[in-house]
Amino acid sequence: EVLLRMHSVGICGSDVHYWQHGRIGDFVVKDPMVLGHEASGTVVKVGSGVTHLKPGDRVAIEPGVPREMDEFCKSGRYNLSPTIFFCATPPDDGNLCRYYKHSASYCYKLPDNVTFEEGALIEPLSVGIHACKRAGVTLGSKVFVSGSGPIGLVNVIVAKMMGAAAVVVTDLSASRLQKAKEVGADFTIQVKNETPQEVASKVESVLGCMPEITVECTGVQACIQAGIYATRSGGTLVLVGLGPEMVTVPIVNAAVREVDIRGIFRYCNTWPVAIALLASKRINIKPLVTHRFPLEKALEAFETTKRGEGVKVMLKCDPTDQKP
C-alpha cells in the first residue's frame, strides 16, 4: 500500500446520489462514508513491498481494487469481481480527504506534463475508453452519443480519438451541447419532447445514415428506446447510464435487426491507456473542469454539482498548492 496526500478529487453524479438518496440499487449507505473516487495525489509513504513508487511521486488513483485473484481477475476483467473494493461505494470509503491509503498497484505515476487535475479526470475518461472499446468504435464509425453530461463528453472525446468519422450528441440542455461541440462532436441535437422514434430519425438525418454505434449515457427509458430505434441493423448499443432497475424497451425491434445490446460496469485496464493519451497530448480533457473549490467548501461544490451547473466540479484537497 501507499499513503497519499490528496490533491484533486472530482465530484461524480454517483457521489451526489449517495449524498441525497443514501443508495444506488443494491448499494446502500448504512454507516458514515467518505465520498470521492475521481482522484490524484502525491505519494507520502510506501509500504515495504512497493518498488514502482516513491515519496514525492504524483499519481492517479484507480478506485477499484480486487480483493482476491478470482476467475474475473484471471481473465483480465477484474471490474466484474464480486468482492472488489471500490472507493465511495458502500461500505468502502472514498478518497475525498487530505490523506488516503490505497493499493500501490492501483496508483499510476503521472508524467511531468500531466496535471493533477487531468490525473483525477482519468476516472471518468476511463468510462469512455471502456464503453467505446465495448462498442467497437473504429476507423470511420458513425456514433450516436445520448446525453452530454461528463460521461457523454468523454465518450465523444474517446470515440473521435478511436477514429469515429462522425459523432452526434443529444441532450436537453443547449449549454451542454455547446460543450459537446467544444470537445469534438460533429453534430448536436437538442431534444425537447420528441418521441424516441422522432429522436432516432433526427439522428439519422443529421448523420446521413443510421449510426453503427450508440452509446447511451443517461439511463432514461425514452433515451434507451431512442438508442435502439436509432442504431443501424447489425450495430451495437452500449448502455452506460443507469436508471431504474426495470425499463420498458422495444427489445423485439433490436432482436430482429440484430442490434447488440451491451452493458458496461465501470472499466478495467484503462489507466495506462489514458495516461499515454494525455502524456502524448493526443486528447484534451482540460475543458471538462468548469468549477474548483477548496476542500473546506465541499458542500458548496456538491450543491453546484447537484444543480447541474458547469460540467465537472473539482475539489482541491491540498491547501499548500491551490494552482489549477
Side-chain angles (χ1 to χ4, degrees), residues 241-287:
L242 300 176
E245 185 181 5
M246 289 294 175
V247 178
T248 303
V249 292
I251 201 79
V252 175
N253 177 289
V256 298
R257 298 194 302 109
E258 297 193 4
V259 171
D260 292 352
I261 300 175
R262 298 188 138 198
I264 68 154
F265 187 60
R266 300 169 180 159
Y267 33 65
C268 59
N269 306 303
T270 54
W271 260 253
V273 177
I275 289 169
L277 288 170
L278 292 166
S280 63
K281 303 292 178 208
R282 294 302 306 276
I283 59 171
N284 179 19
I285 55 173
K286 287 177 178 169

mmCIF file of all heavy atoms in Angstrom, residues 241-287:
data_model
loop_
_atom_site.group_PDB
_atom_site.id
_atom_site.type_symbol
_atom_site.label_atom_id
_atom_site.label_comp_id
_atom_site.label_asym_id
_atom_site.label_seq_id
_atom_site.Cartn_x
_atom_site.Cartn_y
_atom_site.Cartn_z
ATOM 1 N N GLY A 241 -25.323 4.788 -19.017
ATOM 2 C CA GLY A 241 -26.120 5.437 -17.974
ATOM 3 C C GLY A 241 -27.019 4.429 -17.285
ATOM 4 O O GLY A 241 -27.539 3.508 -17.922
ATOM 5 N N LEU A 242 -27.165 4.585 -15.976
ATOM 6 C CA LEU A 242 -28.002 3.662 -15.206
ATOM 7 C C LEU A 242 -29.199 4.397 -14.632
ATOM 8 O O LEU A 242 -29.044 5.433 -13.981
ATOM 9 C CB LEU A 242 -27.198 3.029 -14.063
ATOM 10 C CG LEU A 242 -25.968 2.223 -14.490
ATOM 11 C CD1 LEU A 242 -25.216 1.739 -13.259
ATOM 12 C CD2 LEU A 242 -26.358 1.051 -15.364
ATOM 13 N N GLY A 243 -30.394 3.862 -14.886
ATOM 14 C CA GLY A 243 -31.619 4.446 -14.352
ATOM 15 C C GLY A 243 -32.334 3.433 -13.485
ATOM 16 O O GLY A 243 -31.698 2.703 -12.729
ATOM 17 N N PRO A 244 -33.647 3.356 -13.615
ATOM 18 C CA PRO A 244 -34.400 2.382 -12.806
ATOM 19 C C PRO A 244 -34.040 0.945 -13.180
ATOM 20 O O PRO A 244 -33.566 0.684 -14.284
ATOM 21 C CB PRO A 244 -35.864 2.682 -13.153
ATOM 22 C CG PRO A 244 -35.826 3.431 -14.440
ATOM 23 C CD PRO A 244 -34.523 4.158 -14.474
ATOM 24 N N GLU A 245 -34.275 0.038 -12.231
ATOM 25 C CA GLU A 245 -33.915 -1.361 -12.455
ATOM 26 C C GLU A 245 -34.694 -1.957 -13.624
ATOM 27 O O GLU A 245 -34.155 -2.705 -14.431
ATOM 28 C CB GLU A 245 -34.181 -2.176 -11.179
ATOM 29 C CG GLU A 245 -33.726 -3.613 -11.303
ATOM 30 C CD GLU A 245 -34.003 -4.437 -10.049
ATOM 31 O OE1 GLU A 245 -34.631 -3.919 -9.099
ATOM 32 O OE2 GLU A 245 -33.602 -5.606 -10.037
ATOM 33 N N MET A 246 -35.986 -1.639 -13.695
ATOM 34 C CA MET A 246 -36.833 -2.163 -14.772
ATOM 35 C C MET A 246 -37.123 -1.053 -15.777
ATOM 36 O O MET A 246 -37.585 0.022 -15.402
ATOM 37 C CB MET A 246 -38.153 -2.689 -14.204
ATOM 38 C CG MET A 246 -37.995 -3.977 -13.420
ATOM 39 S SD MET A 246 -37.486 -5.315 -14.501
ATOM 40 C CE MET A 246 -37.233 -6.609 -13.287
ATOM 41 N N VAL A 247 -36.837 -1.345 -17.054
ATOM 42 C CA VAL A 247 -37.042 -0.372 -18.123
ATOM 43 C C VAL A 247 -37.774 -1.065 -19.263
ATOM 44 O O VAL A 247 -37.440 -2.202 -19.615
ATOM 45 C CB VAL A 247 -35.682 0.178 -18.624
ATOM 46 C CG1 VAL A 247 -35.876 1.149 -19.768
ATOM 47 C CG2 VAL A 247 -34.907 0.846 -17.494
ATOM 48 N N THR A 248 -38.766 -0.404 -19.817
ATOM 49 C CA THR A 248 -39.502 -0.966 -20.955
ATOM 50 C C THR A 248 -38.822 -0.523 -22.249
ATOM 51 O O THR A 248 -38.681 0.677 -22.498
ATOM 52 C CB THR A 248 -40.961 -0.463 -20.936
ATOM 53 O OG1 THR A 248 -41.530 -0.821 -19.675
ATOM 54 C CG2 THR A 248 -41.773 -1.101 -22.050
ATOM 55 N N VAL A 249 -38.380 -1.504 -23.041
ATOM 56 C CA VAL A 249 -37.688 -1.180 -24.291
ATOM 57 C C VAL A 249 -38.198 -2.044 -25.438
ATOM 58 O O VAL A 249 -38.678 -3.160 -25.209
ATOM 59 C CB VAL A 249 -36.151 -1.366 -24.168
ATOM 60 C CG1 VAL A 249 -35.543 -0.348 -23.230
ATOM 61 C CG2 VAL A 249 -35.787 -2.775 -23.748
ATOM 62 N N PRO A 250 -38.067 -1.548 -26.677
ATOM 63 C CA PRO A 250 -38.506 -2.328 -27.846
ATOM 64 C C PRO A 250 -37.485 -3.418 -28.193
ATOM 65 O O PRO A 250 -36.772 -3.338 -29.186
ATOM 66 C CB PRO A 250 -38.607 -1.272 -28.946
ATOM 67 C CG PRO A 250 -37.624 -0.215 -28.553
ATOM 68 C CD PRO A 250 -37.606 -0.192 -27.055
ATOM 69 N N ILE A 251 -37.439 -4.424 -27.338
ATOM 70 C CA ILE A 251 -36.399 -5.448 -27.457
ATOM 71 C C ILE A 251 -36.553 -6.279 -28.733
ATOM 72 O O ILE A 251 -35.568 -6.725 -29.313
ATOM 73 C CB ILE A 251 -36.387 -6.343 -26.186
ATOM 74 C CG1 ILE A 251 -35.037 -7.055 -26.023
ATOM 75 C CG2 ILE A 251 -37.511 -7.352 -26.166
ATOM 76 C CD1 ILE A 251 -33.965 -6.208 -25.455
ATOM 77 N N VAL A 252 -37.785 -6.463 -29.192
ATOM 78 C CA VAL A 252 -38.000 -7.249 -30.419
ATOM 79 C C VAL A 252 -37.450 -6.502 -31.630
ATOM 80 O O VAL A 252 -36.844 -7.090 -32.524
ATOM 81 C CB VAL A 252 -39.494 -7.606 -30.596
ATOM 82 C CG1 VAL A 252 -39.729 -8.306 -31.932
ATOM 83 C CG2 VAL A 252 -39.952 -8.485 -29.437
ATOM 84 N N ASN A 253 -37.621 -5.172 -31.623
ATOM 85 C CA ASN A 253 -37.033 -4.354 -32.683
ATOM 86 C C ASN A 253 -35.520 -4.581 -32.748
ATOM 87 O O ASN A 253 -34.941 -4.780 -33.824
ATOM 88 C CB ASN A 253 -37.359 -2.879 -32.421
ATOM 89 C CG ASN A 253 -36.730 -1.936 -33.433
ATOM 90 O OD1 ASN A 253 -35.522 -1.738 -33.434
ATOM 91 N ND2 ASN A 253 -37.548 -1.355 -34.295
ATOM 92 N N ALA A 254 -34.881 -4.577 -31.576
ATOM 93 C CA ALA A 254 -33.432 -4.809 -31.521
ATOM 94 C C ALA A 254 -33.090 -6.229 -31.985
ATOM 95 O O ALA A 254 -32.138 -6.438 -32.745
ATOM 96 C CB ALA A 254 -32.912 -4.584 -30.102
ATOM 97 N N ALA A 255 -33.889 -7.193 -31.529
ATOM 98 C CA ALA A 255 -33.606 -8.600 -31.836
ATOM 99 C C ALA A 255 -33.684 -8.887 -33.327
ATOM 100 O O ALA A 255 -32.767 -9.489 -33.901
ATOM 101 C CB ALA A 255 -34.574 -9.500 -31.072
ATOM 102 N N VAL A 256 -34.757 -8.449 -33.963
ATOM 103 C CA VAL A 256 -34.938 -8.805 -35.384
ATOM 104 C C VAL A 256 -33.980 -8.032 -36.280
ATOM 105 O O VAL A 256 -33.727 -8.433 -37.420
ATOM 106 C CB VAL A 256 -36.400 -8.603 -35.865
ATOM 107 C CG1 VAL A 256 -37.341 -9.507 -35.096
ATOM 108 C CG2 VAL A 256 -36.831 -7.143 -35.779
ATOM 109 N N ARG A 257 -33.411 -6.939 -35.778
ATOM 110 C CA ARG A 257 -32.430 -6.188 -36.577
ATOM 111 C C ARG A 257 -30.994 -6.501 -36.158
ATOM 112 O O ARG A 257 -30.050 -5.865 -36.616
ATOM 113 C CB ARG A 257 -32.719 -4.690 -36.482
ATOM 114 C CG ARG A 257 -34.090 -4.310 -37.045
ATOM 115 C CD ARG A 257 -34.257 -2.820 -37.269
ATOM 116 N NE ARG A 257 -34.060 -2.035 -36.053
ATOM 117 C CZ ARG A 257 -33.006 -1.252 -35.815
ATOM 118 N NH1 ARG A 257 -32.023 -1.153 -36.710
ATOM 119 N NH2 ARG A 257 -32.913 -0.571 -34.690
ATOM 120 N N GLU A 258 -30.851 -7.492 -35.270
ATOM 121 C CA GLU A 258 -29.523 -7.904 -34.795
ATOM 122 C C GLU A 258 -28.721 -6.729 -34.226
ATOM 123 O O GLU A 258 -27.519 -6.579 -34.481
ATOM 124 C CB GLU A 258 -28.730 -8.631 -35.896
ATOM 125 C CG GLU A 258 -29.401 -9.928 -36.317
ATOM 126 C CD GLU A 258 -28.513 -10.837 -37.170
ATOM 127 O OE1 GLU A 258 -27.324 -10.516 -37.384
ATOM 128 O OE2 GLU A 258 -29.027 -11.873 -37.632
ATOM 129 N N VAL A 259 -29.389 -5.901 -33.472
ATOM 130 C CA VAL A 259 -28.698 -4.834 -32.741
ATOM 131 C C VAL A 259 -28.204 -5.433 -31.423
ATOM 132 O O VAL A 259 -29.000 -5.901 -30.607
ATOM 133 C CB VAL A 259 -29.633 -3.634 -32.474
ATOM 134 C CG1 VAL A 259 -28.972 -2.628 -31.537
ATOM 135 C CG2 VAL A 259 -30.029 -2.964 -33.790
ATOM 136 N N ASP A 260 -26.897 -5.453 -31.231
ATOM 137 C CA ASP A 260 -26.320 -5.997 -29.997
ATOM 138 C C ASP A 260 -26.449 -4.969 -28.878
ATOM 139 O O ASP A 260 -26.082 -3.807 -29.069
ATOM 140 C CB ASP A 260 -24.828 -6.317 -30.195
ATOM 141 C CG ASP A 260 -24.609 -7.472 -31.153
ATOM 142 O OD1 ASP A 260 -25.597 -8.115 -31.535
ATOM 143 O OD2 ASP A 260 -23.436 -7.724 -31.519
ATOM 144 N N ILE A 261 -26.950 -5.413 -27.743
ATOM 145 C CA ILE A 261 -27.055 -4.519 -26.590
ATOM 146 C C ILE A 261 -26.021 -4.969 -25.567
ATOM 147 O O ILE A 261 -26.026 -6.112 -25.118
ATOM 148 C CB ILE A 261 -28.470 -4.541 -25.985
ATOM 149 C CG1 ILE A 261 -29.492 -4.092 -27.042
ATOM 150 C CG2 ILE A 261 -28.543 -3.657 -24.740
ATOM 151 C CD1 ILE A 261 -30.935 -4.182 -26.597
ATOM 152 N N ARG A 262 -25.108 -4.055 -25.221
ATOM 153 C CA ARG A 262 -24.034 -4.394 -24.293
ATOM 154 C C ARG A 262 -24.080 -3.454 -23.096
ATOM 155 O O ARG A 262 -24.431 -2.276 -23.239
ATOM 156 C CB ARG A 262 -22.667 -4.257 -24.968
ATOM 157 C CG ARG A 262 -22.487 -5.187 -26.137
ATOM 158 C CD ARG A 262 -21.060 -5.157 -26.651
ATOM 159 N NE ARG A 262 -20.642 -6.524 -26.955
ATOM 160 C CZ ARG A 262 -19.391 -6.914 -27.094
ATOM 161 N NH1 ARG A 262 -18.404 -6.062 -26.946
ATOM 162 N NH2 ARG A 262 -19.109 -8.167 -27.371
ATOM 163 N N GLY A 263 -23.725 -3.983 -21.953
ATOM 164 C CA GLY A 263 -23.613 -3.145 -20.766
ATOM 165 C C GLY A 263 -22.152 -2.893 -20.459
ATOM 166 O O GLY A 263 -21.269 -3.556 -21.000
ATOM 167 N N ILE A 264 -21.894 -1.893 -19.619
ATOM 168 C CA ILE A 264 -20.542 -1.760 -19.071
ATOM 169 C C ILE A 264 -20.666 -1.565 -17.563
ATOM 170 O O ILE A 264 -21.655 -1.009 -17.069
ATOM 171 C CB ILE A 264 -19.715 -0.610 -19.686
ATOM 172 C CG1 ILE A 264 -20.271 0.761 -19.298
ATOM 173 C CG2 ILE A 264 -19.572 -0.748 -21.187
ATOM 174 C CD1 ILE A 264 -19.220 1.840 -19.321
ATOM 175 N N PHE A 265 -19.646 -2.035 -16.847
ATOM 176 C CA PHE A 265 -19.569 -1.795 -15.404
ATOM 177 C C PHE A 265 -18.220 -1.154 -15.122
ATOM 178 O O PHE A 265 -17.177 -1.815 -15.173
ATOM 179 C CB PHE A 265 -19.737 -3.098 -14.621
ATOM 180 C CG PHE A 265 -19.826 -2.886 -13.130
ATOM 181 C CD1 PHE A 265 -20.835 -2.110 -12.594
ATOM 182 C CD2 PHE A 265 -18.889 -3.443 -12.283
ATOM 183 C CE1 PHE A 265 -20.925 -1.900 -11.221
ATOM 184 C CE2 PHE A 265 -18.975 -3.247 -10.908
ATOM 185 C CZ PHE A 265 -19.995 -2.468 -10.374
ATOM 186 N N ARG A 266 -18.258 0.148 -14.906
ATOM 187 C CA ARG A 266 -17.042 0.913 -14.637
ATOM 188 C C ARG A 266 -16.045 0.762 -15.783
ATOM 189 O O ARG A 266 -16.306 1.217 -16.879
ATOM 190 C CB ARG A 266 -16.447 0.524 -13.282
ATOM 191 C CG ARG A 266 -17.408 0.793 -12.138
ATOM 192 C CD ARG A 266 -16.934 0.175 -10.831
ATOM 193 N NE ARG A 266 -17.851 0.440 -9.731
ATOM 194 C CZ ARG A 266 -17.909 -0.282 -8.616
ATOM 195 N NH1 ARG A 266 -17.088 -1.322 -8.459
ATOM 196 N NH2 ARG A 266 -18.758 0.020 -7.666
ATOM 197 N N TYR A 267 -14.910 0.055 -15.547
ATOM 198 C CA TYR A 267 -13.806 -0.014 -16.522
ATOM 199 C C TYR A 267 -12.768 -0.981 -15.985
ATOM 200 O O TYR A 267 -12.779 -1.346 -14.806
ATOM 201 C CB TYR A 267 -13.137 1.376 -16.678
ATOM 202 C CG TYR A 267 -13.184 2.126 -15.361
ATOM 203 C CD1 TYR A 267 -12.481 1.659 -14.250
ATOM 204 C CD2 TYR A 267 -14.009 3.225 -15.193
ATOM 205 C CE1 TYR A 267 -12.581 2.288 -13.018
ATOM 206 C CE2 TYR A 267 -14.112 3.853 -13.954
ATOM 207 C CZ TYR A 267 -13.389 3.384 -12.876
ATOM 208 O OH TYR A 267 -13.502 3.985 -11.653
ATOM 209 N N CYS A 268 -11.866 -1.405 -16.846
ATOM 210 C CA CYS A 268 -10.688 -2.153 -16.388
ATOM 211 C C CYS A 268 -9.567 -1.946 -17.401
ATOM 212 O O CYS A 268 -9.824 -1.766 -18.591
ATOM 213 C CB CYS A 268 -10.988 -3.636 -16.193
ATOM 214 S SG CYS A 268 -11.569 -4.474 -17.660
ATOM 215 N N ASN A 269 -8.339 -1.936 -16.885
ATOM 216 C CA ASN A 269 -7.143 -1.796 -17.725
ATOM 217 C C ASN A 269 -7.125 -0.516 -18.563
ATOM 218 O O ASN A 269 -6.653 -0.518 -19.697
ATOM 219 C CB ASN A 269 -7.018 -3.024 -18.659
ATOM 220 C CG ASN A 269 -7.058 -4.327 -17.891
ATOM 221 O OD1 ASN A 269 -6.248 -4.545 -16.994
ATOM 222 N ND2 ASN A 269 -8.003 -5.194 -18.207
ATOM 223 N N THR A 270 -7.633 0.555 -17.989
ATOM 224 C CA THR A 270 -7.725 1.802 -18.763
ATOM 225 C C THR A 270 -6.723 2.875 -18.340
ATOM 226 O O THR A 270 -6.420 3.771 -19.128
ATOM 227 C CB THR A 270 -9.135 2.407 -18.651
ATOM 228 O OG1 THR A 270 -9.449 2.559 -17.271
ATOM 229 C CG2 THR A 270 -10.174 1.543 -19.330
ATOM 230 N N TRP A 271 -6.224 2.831 -17.107
ATOM 231 C CA TRP A 271 -5.342 3.914 -16.643
ATOM 232 C C TRP A 271 -4.078 4.067 -17.491
ATOM 233 O O TRP A 271 -3.760 5.190 -17.898
ATOM 234 C CB TRP A 271 -5.016 3.757 -15.150
ATOM 235 C CG TRP A 271 -5.852 4.652 -14.289
ATOM 236 C CD1 TRP A 271 -5.438 5.781 -13.636
ATOM 237 C CD2 TRP A 271 -7.246 4.529 -13.976
ATOM 238 N NE1 TRP A 271 -6.490 6.365 -12.947
ATOM 239 C CE2 TRP A 271 -7.599 5.614 -13.140
ATOM 240 C CE3 TRP A 271 -8.234 3.603 -14.333
ATOM 241 C CZ2 TRP A 271 -8.900 5.794 -12.645
ATOM 242 C CZ3 TRP A 271 -9.523 3.778 -13.857
ATOM 243 C CH2 TRP A 271 -9.850 4.868 -13.028
ATOM 244 N N PRO A 272 -3.361 2.973 -17.807
ATOM 245 C CA PRO A 272 -2.165 3.141 -18.638
ATOM 246 C C PRO A 272 -2.480 3.760 -20.010
ATOM 247 O O PRO A 272 -1.738 4.614 -20.492
ATOM 248 C CB PRO A 272 -1.632 1.703 -18.775
ATOM 249 C CG PRO A 272 -2.134 1.003 -17.543
ATOM 250 C CD PRO A 272 -3.499 1.587 -17.302
ATOM 251 N N VAL A 273 -3.599 3.346 -20.602
ATOM 252 C CA VAL A 273 -4.022 3.891 -21.899
ATOM 253 C C VAL A 273 -4.284 5.385 -21.773
ATOM 254 O O VAL A 273 -3.811 6.198 -22.579
ATOM 255 C CB VAL A 273 -5.336 3.193 -22.371
ATOM 256 C CG1 VAL A 273 -5.834 3.808 -23.676
ATOM 257 C CG2 VAL A 273 -5.128 1.707 -22.525
ATOM 258 N N ALA A 274 -5.047 5.763 -20.746
ATOM 259 C CA ALA A 274 -5.408 7.169 -20.547
ATOM 260 C C ALA A 274 -4.171 8.031 -20.317
ATOM 261 O O ALA A 274 -4.041 9.122 -20.879
ATOM 262 C CB ALA A 274 -6.369 7.294 -19.367
ATOM 263 N N ILE A 275 -3.245 7.537 -19.494
ATOM 264 C CA ILE A 275 -2.024 8.305 -19.209
ATOM 265 C C ILE A 275 -1.207 8.494 -20.484
ATOM 266 O O ILE A 275 -0.685 9.583 -20.761
ATOM 267 C CB ILE A 275 -1.201 7.629 -18.088
ATOM 268 C CG1 ILE A 275 -1.931 7.796 -16.745
ATOM 269 C CG2 ILE A 275 0.214 8.229 -18.001
ATOM 270 C CD1 ILE A 275 -1.378 6.973 -15.597
ATOM 271 N N ALA A 276 -1.115 7.444 -21.310
ATOM 272 C CA ALA A 276 -0.381 7.553 -22.579
ATOM 273 C C ALA A 276 -1.019 8.589 -23.493
ATOM 274 O O ALA A 276 -0.321 9.383 -24.141
ATOM 275 C CB ALA A 276 -0.321 6.185 -23.270
ATOM 276 N N LEU A 277 -2.344 8.608 -23.553
ATOM 277 C CA LEU A 277 -3.050 9.574 -24.400
ATOM 278 C C LEU A 277 -2.845 11.000 -23.909
ATOM 279 O O LEU A 277 -2.657 11.929 -24.699
ATOM 280 C CB LEU A 277 -4.551 9.258 -24.440
ATOM 281 C CG LEU A 277 -4.972 8.027 -25.229
ATOM 282 C CD1 LEU A 277 -6.448 7.720 -24.977
ATOM 283 C CD2 LEU A 277 -4.714 8.213 -26.710
ATOM 284 N N LEU A 278 -2.895 11.183 -22.587
ATOM 285 C CA LEU A 278 -2.729 12.522 -22.020
ATOM 286 C C LEU A 278 -1.289 13.005 -22.157
ATOM 287 O O LEU A 278 -1.045 14.166 -22.501
ATOM 288 C CB LEU A 278 -3.158 12.529 -20.550
ATOM 289 C CG LEU A 278 -4.657 12.329 -20.306
ATOM 290 C CD1 LEU A 278 -4.923 12.022 -18.836
ATOM 291 C CD2 LEU A 278 -5.449 13.551 -20.754
ATOM 292 N N ALA A 279 -0.342 12.115 -21.899
ATOM 293 C CA ALA A 279 1.075 12.490 -21.972
ATOM 294 C C ALA A 279 1.478 12.867 -23.392
ATOM 295 O O ALA A 279 2.279 13.774 -23.603
ATOM 296 C CB ALA A 279 1.957 11.356 -21.456
ATOM 297 N N SER A 280 0.885 12.170 -24.376
ATOM 298 C CA SER A 280 1.220 12.441 -25.779
ATOM 299 C C SER A 280 0.403 13.594 -26.356
ATOM 300 O O SER A 280 0.557 13.946 -27.520
ATOM 301 C CB SER A 280 0.994 11.180 -26.618
ATOM 302 O OG SER A 280 -0.381 10.837 -26.588
ATOM 303 N N LYS A 281 -0.472 14.159 -25.533
ATOM 304 C CA LYS A 281 -1.346 15.274 -25.941
ATOM 305 C C LYS A 281 -2.268 14.891 -27.097
ATOM 306 O O LYS A 281 -2.694 15.749 -27.868
ATOM 307 C CB LYS A 281 -0.517 16.526 -26.321
ATOM 308 C CG LYS A 281 0.405 17.016 -25.212
ATOM 309 C CD LYS A 281 -0.381 17.562 -24.037
ATOM 310 C CE LYS A 281 0.511 18.011 -22.895
ATOM 311 N NZ LYS A 281 -0.159 17.920 -21.572
ATOM 312 N N ARG A 282 -2.576 13.605 -27.223
ATOM 313 C CA ARG A 282 -3.495 13.182 -28.281
ATOM 314 C C ARG A 282 -4.929 13.565 -27.938
ATOM 315 O O ARG A 282 -5.776 13.673 -28.822
ATOM 316 C CB ARG A 282 -3.408 11.656 -28.485
ATOM 317 C CG ARG A 282 -2.090 11.155 -29.027
ATOM 318 C CD ARG A 282 -1.707 11.772 -30.367
ATOM 319 N NE ARG A 282 -2.738 11.631 -31.400
ATOM 320 C CZ ARG A 282 -2.888 10.555 -32.162
ATOM 321 N NH1 ARG A 282 -2.100 9.513 -32.013
ATOM 322 N NH2 ARG A 282 -3.820 10.515 -33.089
ATOM 323 N N ILE A 283 -5.235 13.706 -26.645
ATOM 324 C CA ILE A 283 -6.569 14.157 -26.270
ATOM 325 C C ILE A 283 -6.457 15.297 -25.273
ATOM 326 O O ILE A 283 -5.456 15.415 -24.550
ATOM 327 C CB ILE A 283 -7.446 13.033 -25.657
ATOM 328 C CG1 ILE A 283 -6.801 12.443 -24.407
ATOM 329 C CG2 ILE A 283 -7.752 11.950 -26.673
ATOM 330 C CD1 ILE A 283 -7.720 11.512 -23.655
ATOM 331 N N ASN A 284 -7.476 16.135 -25.255
ATOM 332 C CA ASN A 284 -7.520 17.259 -24.322
ATOM 333 C C ASN A 284 -8.797 17.165 -23.495
ATOM 334 O O ASN A 284 -9.893 17.317 -24.026
ATOM 335 C CB ASN A 284 -7.479 18.580 -25.096
ATOM 336 C CG ASN A 284 -7.554 19.776 -24.161
ATOM 337 O OD1 ASN A 284 -7.297 19.661 -22.958
ATOM 338 N ND2 ASN A 284 -7.915 20.927 -24.703
ATOM 339 N N ILE A 285 -8.630 16.875 -22.199
ATOM 340 C CA ILE A 285 -9.818 16.775 -21.332
ATOM 341 C C ILE A 285 -9.917 17.950 -20.361
ATOM 342 O O ILE A 285 -10.839 18.022 -19.567
ATOM 343 C CB ILE A 285 -9.840 15.433 -20.549
ATOM 344 C CG1 ILE A 285 -8.553 15.225 -19.761
ATOM 345 C CG2 ILE A 285 -10.108 14.267 -21.477
ATOM 346 C CD1 ILE A 285 -8.584 14.016 -18.843
ATOM 347 N N LYS A 286 -8.967 18.887 -20.472
ATOM 348 C CA LYS A 286 -8.979 20.031 -19.553
ATOM 349 C C LYS A 286 -10.283 20.843 -19.589
ATOM 350 O O LYS A 286 -10.714 21.348 -18.555
ATOM 351 C CB LYS A 286 -7.775 20.934 -19.829
ATOM 352 C CG LYS A 286 -6.459 20.315 -19.350
ATOM 353 C CD LYS A 286 -5.267 21.200 -19.703
ATOM 354 C CE LYS A 286 -3.967 20.592 -19.170
ATOM 355 N NZ LYS A 286 -2.779 21.261 -19.712
ATOM 356 N N PRO A 287 -10.923 20.982 -20.767
ATOM 357 C CA PRO A 287 -12.152 21.796 -20.795
ATOM 358 C C PRO A 287 -13.303 21.234 -19.957
ATOM 359 O O PRO A 287 -14.293 21.927 -19.737
ATOM 360 C CB PRO A 287 -12.556 21.793 -22.276
ATOM 361 C CG PRO A 287 -11.365 21.353 -23.036
ATOM 362 C CD PRO A 287 -10.546 20.507 -22.119
#
